[in-house]
Amino acid sequence: MDVVAAIDLSRVTVRRIRINFFWAIIYNMIGIPLAAGILLPVGAIMPPWVASAAMAMSSVSVVLSSLMLKRYTKPQNRPGYLKKISKKLTGVIANKVDYKFVSIETTV
């Protein structure tokens, strides 16, 4: 794997992690109050088997979402991507490298 593909794969992976994190937060914001009994005053209770099934579905959804990374294709197989990434990398490298020449004066 070349450097461009490794950088692109890391970007895609981090994006997938963020997507999984977002959905986990939404899922827990809804699921935890339901499991805690927020609907108990209106007579709706969640049986333990439903709570365990919901927890299992949360894990399954994260795994299925992560499996989408198997569909990853290297950048060279995508038209126009190498030009786009090379401009970004050139800008990043130019911004990160800062050559400072310091002149040292000595006095005797």
Side-chain angles (χ1 to χ4, degrees):
M1 180 180 288
D2 56 354
V3 175
V4 174
I7 291 172
D8 186 56
L9 179 59
S10 68
R11 286 183 184 174
V12 170
T13 303
V14 169
R15 186 178 316 127
R16 183 56 55 184
I17 290 169
R18 288 182 178 151
I19 290 169
N20 286 342
F21 185 67
F22 170 76
W23 285 113
I25 287 174
I26 298 298
Y27 190 84
N28 286 324
M29 285 174 56
I30 295 169
I32 290 174
L34 287 176
I38 197 167
L39 297 178
L40 195 57
V42 294
I45 60 170
M46 182 181 287
W49 68 269
V50 174
S52 63
M55 187 175 75
M57 287 307 297
S58 171
S59 299
V60 168
S61 68
V62 168
V63 170
L64 290 177
S65 176
S66 297
L67 285 175
M68 293 294 288
L69 289 172
K70 283 189 152 198
R71 297 182 61 199
Y72 174 76
T73 57
K74 289 176 76 170
Q76 62 205 31
N77 298 339
R78 291 185 232 147
Y81 187 79
L82 287 180
K83 280 187 177 182
K84 179 178 152 185
I85 194 71
S86 65
K87 287 180 183 178
K88 285 184 178 180
L89 286 177
T90 305
V92 167
I93 292 171
N95 289 337
K96 296 290 181 188
V97 177
D98 187 17
Y99 295 104
K100 292 183 180 177
F101 297 99
V102 179
S103 64
I104 300 174
E105 296 180 16
T106 58
T107 56
V108 180

